[in-house]
Amino acid sequence: MMPFIVEWLWSDALVWLLVVAAIGFALYTRRHPHLRAPWARVARSASGMAAATVLAAFVLVGLMDSLHYRAALPQQGGKTAYATEVRSLLDRVLEPLRLTREKTYSAPLATHLYAKETVQLQDGTEARVFPRLRHGGAHLKDPQADWCLDVAMKAFRGLTFGLLLWFVVAIGICAAVARGRDAGIEMVWRDAWAGRTEVPWRAVFCALGLLCILIGPVAALAPYYHVLGTDKVGQDVLYQALKSIRTGLVIGTLATLVMLPFALVLGLMAGYFKGWVDDLIQYLYTTLSSIPGVLLIAAAVLMMQVYIENHAELFPTTEIRADVRLLALCVILGVTSWTGLCRLLRGEALKLREMEYIQAAHAFGVSHWRVMMRHITPNVMHIVMIALVMDFSGLVLAEAVLSYVGVGVDPSMISFGTMINSARLEMAREPMVWWSLAAAFVFMLTLVLAANLFADAVRDAFDPRLIVGGRS
Amino acid sequence: MTAYITRRLIYGLFVLVGVNVFTFALFFFVNSPDDMARAQLGAKRVTPEAVAKWKHERGYDKPLFLNEKSTGVAKLTDTVFFEKSAKLFVFEFGASDQGRNIGYDISTRMWPSLAVQLPAFIIGLLVYISFALLMAFFRATYLDFWGVVLCVLMMSISGLFYIIGGQFVFGKLWNLVPISGYDTGFDAIKFLALPVLIGVISGIGSSARWYRTIFLEEISKDYVRTARAKGLSETRVLFRHVLQNAMIPILTGVVVVIPLLFMGALITESFFGIPGLGSYTIDAISQQDFAIVRVMVFLGSVLYIIGLILTDISYTLVDPRVRFS
């Protein structure tokens, strides 16, 4: 028997399809110098490479959360049954966080609950005390005396491991570079820190170092404490924050993926054919873009909700329902946001169709379809690439707002939006519960900031106006 | 020029027809009125009689496009499409699914929305342009660099955090303003100060950066070099020449949103408890009141199209090239 069966949710399949496509695209790009050139410019940008390092860490977490399985239950009568719950690889790794539920709020690294409770003392009297947590710091005999030293020791050990890991990875990168250049590792290491390498490895090392310094202590403390505290129902906040990453990444990437074919096909057709095709497509996108974005999304999501409620039989489990809702949200976001890129591509196609090489293609009798595929599409790819990376951060931010309005992801799905939504009322509590919001804030800011910086680097590298003008 | 504006108006009307048909399809084809009735009534209370009653009270039991039972014009008018969609063109919004008069609600609730949005818009524009001009004036210095860093950082923060943080700092920590609520007359100022301030701050990142790009693009043009060669001071070049010419691209983005200020800001109003159209929409969404959402979608498009036409008109005013072509 198998210890588990792999469960492909729809979004998982699409995410992995995207990964395969990205790898294929990367391999294709590698072999073509003219495609490689802009990416080489991206690789020369220090902020871009640092942002890419951070993004890679987020993507790693997101991908781990996109491998779902159902575990086998203990055998009963020779037949293997599988759990109904769908878990991801990330859930498995974070098992200590997921299973250690407390009763309610507890502060980061706390050993006691955040609210007083009436407990019966041994002599029969009752008292209002802060009870000990079931899991957080449960290994301490005397929390008051031991806590400080224990936390410091564990954090220090984690820090040491983090730095060690950082050093190993950094040396590994240097070794790889050294092999390509036929130079000594030590020399590459020194060049990298002096900023003499073509790719700004110093920025990558700094970003990597910062990540390791943060992750090390957190990973060392997480099995024993709730590093970022627990929320109202006692769930670990760090676990929620890590799970939110996948939701944000899926929305940011799949929505643009849905938008892309609409924008590309319609935009190029409008610019290339002109005449009534252009009029029709222009009318279409003016109409769609004249509806304020949030309202259009809200209306579409409301309709989707009604559909899901009335067809409950199509969605057997909560996970599947939440997943379908997530996908539907991506589709809606994509369908409502193609107009901007479409307009840009139309303008570019209008310009390109008058170029001499297109005229030459016409003269040779190349069909319209082939002209568009072979001669126009490759020449608008820089616009597409810039739009793809620029839209990502906006979509991650939009998810939070939409979830607040009530038209975002399924309430059972952990996302930055649902985290903020459930945490915002806690600010009014006395004493205040700040850690849920702080965690969502830090994770979201890091993800969006990294995405924005990377997008800027990509734009600077791909935009021909900026390259020719020599400005940045 | 009149012919140009008329043409734009007629086109706008066509777009509105498209919006109308699109929303109608979205609301009545994806789900039947029966589905909506079931969703509204909740799973427990659904009986065929209750669904029929719900539909009849709200006029959803008529045929969609063609009423065979009626005679004459009523064949077309006594339908869901005419009653619920076509009447929007004469601003007859009808009743919400909860039975309230939407037209009356909108006419009372748009003023609080405007009271927040208009000051935020004007102050915001001044702040963003000044900040962008400052960065452009000190371009390629540390001030410019850290200004851009600040902008990127600020645009990476979700709008929700600005509101939550603002309420916490100004409302709870410093006790300067009430956290939420609304009042009429001059008392409204203390309720409006914080939403306006946060509205301005949350827009700084993206707007100031965008305007800076526009200014820099303008500064690198030939006429600026000529102006400098004539011996004009940098300040004069920036304020007399660059600012004036940069207004054209800025107008594109700015004029179009002016009519939409009536619609209010969804999140801000709901956080601050301001009884405007934004919170109205949010309430409608959370109560699944489809009639209100439908009206707001239409109203939003009307205002957007008015904004587009205003943009066209303002172009003819500021750009002689458009005026004479």
Side-chain angles (χ1 to χ4, degrees):
Chain A
M1 63 164 266
M2 291 268 287
F4 61 86
I5 46 173
V6 177
E7 178 92 14
W8 289 98
L9 295 176
W10 273 104
S11 57
D12 292 345
L14 289 172
V15 163
W16 288 104
L17 197 70
L18 198 64
V19 171
V20 171
I23 293 173
F25 179 72
L27 290 178
Y28 182 78
T29 305
R30 255 180 88 100
R31 280 182 296 146
H32 294 78
H34 70 284
L35 294 176
R36 214 166 49 208
W39 287 110
R41 279 197 292 274
V42 174
R44 281 202 289 274
S45 145
S47 64
M49 285 305 277
T53 313
V54 176
L55 275 182
F58 275 97
V59 169
L60 193 69
V61 172
L63 287 182
M64 268 168 68
D65 206 6
S66 296
L67 276 176
H68 286 91
Y69 69 95
R70 290 193 295 160
L73 294 172
Q75 273 197 334
Q76 282 177 333
K79 256 183 75 180
T80 316
Y82 292 96
T84 51
E85 292 168 300
V86 180
R87 296 266 163 250
S88 74
L89 190 62
L90 186 74
D91 290 328
R92 183 73 194 79
V93 174
L94 298 179
E95 197 119 273
L97 299 183
R98 186 167 58 83
L99 296 178
T100 53
R101 243 168 207 268
E102 302 296 341
K103 214 160 173 186
T104 177
Y105 296 116
S106 68
L109 295 174
T111 53
H112 291 81
L113 270 187
Y114 201 57
K116 276 190 178 172
E117 258 180 24
T118 310
V119 286
Q120 201 123 49
L121 294 179
Q122 280 171 340
D123 54 5
T125 54
E126 287 184 343
R128 302 271 300 161
V129 294
F130 294 106
R132 276 292 289 271
L133 291 181
R134 262 175 280 177
H135 304 282
H139 61 291
L140 298 177
K141 278 207 187 70
D142 180 12
Q144 247 104 37
D146 302 343
W147 179 81
C148 195
L149 190 69
D150 187 60
V151 168
M153 281 305 291
K154 288 199 163 67
F156 182 72
R157 207 182 307 153
L159 191 67
T160 321
F161 271 111
L163 287 175
L164 208 66
L165 179 74
W166 171 74
F167 191 68
V168 169
V169 174
I171 288 290
I173 292 175
C174 284
V177 175
R179 259 187 58 174
R181 289 208 317 200
D182 215 20
I185 294 179
E186 201 195 325
M187 208 161 97
V188 175
W189 174 262
R190 237 182 263 144
D191 279 355
W193 283 106
R196 285 195 295 260
T197 46
E198 193 162 323
V199 177
W201 290 114
R202 186 170 47 181
V204 176
F205 290 162
C206 286
L208 211 59
L210 213 61
L211 280 177
C212 286
I213 288 172
L214 286 174
I215 293 171
V218 169
L221 285 166
Y224 304 98
Y225 296 95
H226 298 289
V227 180
L228 296 176
T230 54
D231 73 347
K232 189 169 183 175
V233 289
Q235 176 132 66
D236 194 278
V237 173
L238 178 64
Y239 173 72
Q240 289 179 342
L242 287 171
K243 289 286 279 184
S244 302
I245 291 173
R246 175 185 187 256
T247 319
L249 290 178
V250 166
I251 288 183
T253 49
L254 291 190
T256 34
L257 210 65
V258 173
M259 169 266 268
L260 202 56
F262 285 98
L264 198 61
V265 171
L266 292 177
L268 290 187
M269 273 174 67
Y272 181 76
F273 289 117
K274 300 218 282 195
W276 66 269
V277 180
D278 187 23
D279 290 339
L280 188 73
I281 291 168
Q282 274 201 66
Y283 174 75
L284 204 65
Y285 73 60
T286 316
T287 306
L288 211 55
S289 64
S290 76
I291 305 173
V294 184
L295 279 173
L296 180 57
I297 294 165
V301 172
L302 275 183
M303 289 302 114
M304 174 194 71
Q305 277 174 3
V306 172
Y307 185 84
I308 289 179
E309 272 172 45
N310 281 306
H311 298 81
E313 71 283 353
L314 291 178
F315 314 106
T317 65
T318 338
E319 281 87 5
I320 293 179
R321 198 191 64 209
D323 189 61
V324 168
R325 261 194 77 158
L326 177 68
L327 273 189
L329 184 66
C330 291
V331 171
I332 291 169
L333 281 169
V335 171
T336 52
S337 64
W338 57 270
T339 52
L341 180 61
C342 183
R343 191 173 300 166
L344 284 179
L345 290 176
R346 172 182 167 269
E348 194 66 17
L350 272 176
K351 245 188 298 175
L352 286 176
R353 76 188 291 277
E354 306 297 339
M355 303 281 268
E356 272 148 6
Y357 75 96
I358 303 278
Q359 313 250 317
H362 282 309
F364 282 123
V366 181
S367 70
H368 287 312
W369 171 248
R370 213 171 149 70
V371 168
M372 276 167 71
M373 283 302 293
R374 287 242 359 132
H375 299 298
I376 295 190
T377 311
N379 286 308
V380 297
M381 277 330 251
H382 65 282
I383 298 181
V384 171
M385 195 52 76
I386 293 171
L388 279 187
V389 290
M390 294 293 249
D391 282 356
F392 175 82
S393 55
L395 286 164
V396 176
L397 291 177
E399 185 273 326
V401 170
L402 291 177
S403 292
Y404 172 78
V405 178
V407 291
V409 295
D410 195 83
S412 71
M413 176 165 258
I414 303 173
S415 78
F416 291 124
T418 46
M419 262 178 94
I420 298 170
N421 208 359
S422 56
R424 83 198 157 82
L425 291 175
E426 292 160 4
M427 295 295 279
R429 268 177 61 100
E430 227 25 271
M432 194 176 57
V433 175
W434 49 269
W435 46 87
S436 282
L437 273 177
F441 175 76
V442 170
F443 273 81
M444 221 173 144
L445 177 65
T446 316
L447 175 60
V448 176
L449 187 62
N452 274 334
L453 289 175
F454 185 67
D456 280 353
V458 169
R459 191 201 51 198
D460 291 349
F462 277 78
D463 196 335
R465 281 189 309 164
L466 295 178
I467 297 159
V468 173
R471 287 184 284 117
S472 59
Chain B
M1 192 180 121
T2 338
Y4 173 68
I5 300 295
T6 323
R7 220 166 43 235
R8 301 299 297 170
L9 270 173
I10 292 171
Y11 191 69
L13 212 60
F14 264 109
V15 170
L16 275 184
V17 172
V19 170
N20 201 297
V21 171
F22 174 77
T23 26
F24 185 79
L26 184 65
F27 278 86
F28 290 96
F29 286 180
V30 177
N31 296 291
S32 66
D34 285 48
D35 291 333
M36 285 197 268
R38 274 197 288 274
Q40 273 277 306
L41 294 167
K44 284 177 200 147
R45 281 173 292 159
V46 173
T47 56
E49 296 82 44
V51 170
K53 183 161 167 281
W54 188 91
K55 276 165 58 185
H56 182 71
E57 279 170 359
R58 287 156 188 81
Y60 290 137
D61 53 346
K62 293 170 185 163
L64 287 183
F65 290 110
L66 197 64
N67 197 340
E68 297 287 350
K69 287 183 206 135
S70 306
T71 51
V73 194
K75 262 193 174 173
L76 284 174
T77 57
D78 199 19
T79 58
V80 174
F81 180 74
F82 186 82
E83 287 286 323
K84 301 289 170 193
S85 257
K87 275 192 174 171
L88 293 177
F89 278 102
V90 288
F91 295 102
E92 264 188 44
F93 297 134
S96 75
D97 287 346
Q98 254 83 36
R100 293 179 59 89
N101 184 339
I102 300 179
Y104 175 77
D105 278 349
I106 288 178
S107 65
T108 52
R109 299 189 74 142
M110 68 188 205
W111 303 113
S113 283
L114 205 60
V116 179
Q117 292 286 82
L118 199 61
F121 172 75
I122 294 170
I123 299 171
L125 204 58
L126 290 176
V127 170
Y128 306 152
I129 290 184
S130 329
F131 190 35
L133 269 178
L134 190 76
M135 285 191 285
F137 190 77
F138 291 102
R139 61 191 171 280
T141 63
Y142 275 109
L143 191 89
D144 181 32
F145 175 77
W146 288 108
V148 174
V149 169
L150 185 71
C151 283
V152 175
L153 199 66
M154 287 186 79
M155 63 192 258
S156 303
I157 297 174
S158 168
L160 296 171
F161 287 114
Y162 284 108
I163 300 176
I164 296 172
Q167 281 186 332
F168 175 70
V169 172
F170 292 99
K172 204 172 160 190
L173 217 56
W174 294 347
N175 260 324
L176 287 176
V177 286
I179 287 181
S180 75
Y182 192 69
D183 207 343
T184 49
F186 275 106
D187 291 337
I189 291 175
K190 67 171 188 279
F191 290 104
L192 291 178
L194 190 55
V196 169
L197 180 72
I198 287 173
V200 171
I201 291 177
S202 59
I204 286 183
S206 49
S207 302
R209 188 161 178 246
W210 169 234
Y211 294 158
R212 172 184 169 273
T213 321
I214 293 176
F215 288 139
L216 286 186
E217 202 147 301
E218 208 63 35
I219 281 177
S220 65
K221 285 190 178 160
D222 285 341
Y223 75 88
V224 177
R225 197 182 310 151
T226 314
R228 283 208 201 101
K230 261 190 341 187
L232 290 188
S233 69
E234 188 63 31
T235 354
R236 203 168 157 73
V237 168
L238 202 60
F239 286 94
R240 274 294 301 156
H241 297 267
V242 172
L243 185 59
Q244 215 169 51
N245 284 298
M247 281 324 274
I248 296 170
I250 290 178
L251 267 179
T252 336
V254 165
V255 176
V256 79
V257 300
I258 293 176
L260 284 171
L261 296 178
F262 280 101
M263 295 286 285
L266 295 181
I267 309 294
T268 313
E269 285 182 16
S270 117
F271 264 99
F272 287 102
I274 292 162
L277 282 182
S279 53
Y280 189 58
T281 314
I282 288 223
D283 292 345
I285 290 170
S286 61
Q287 291 162 6
Q288 300 207 335
D289 194 319
F290 307 111
I292 296 180
V293 176
R294 223 164 41 226
V295 169
M296 295 312 280
V297 166
F298 185 76
L299 194 64
S301 332
V302 171
L303 293 171
Y304 179 78
I305 285 163
I306 294 176
L308 282 185
I309 293 168
L310 284 180
T311 311
D312 287 335
I313 296 175
S314 64
Y315 266 155
T316 62
L317 295 180
V318 295
D319 193 346
R321 284 172 301 186
V322 179
R323 189 161 53 219
F324 297 122
S325 67

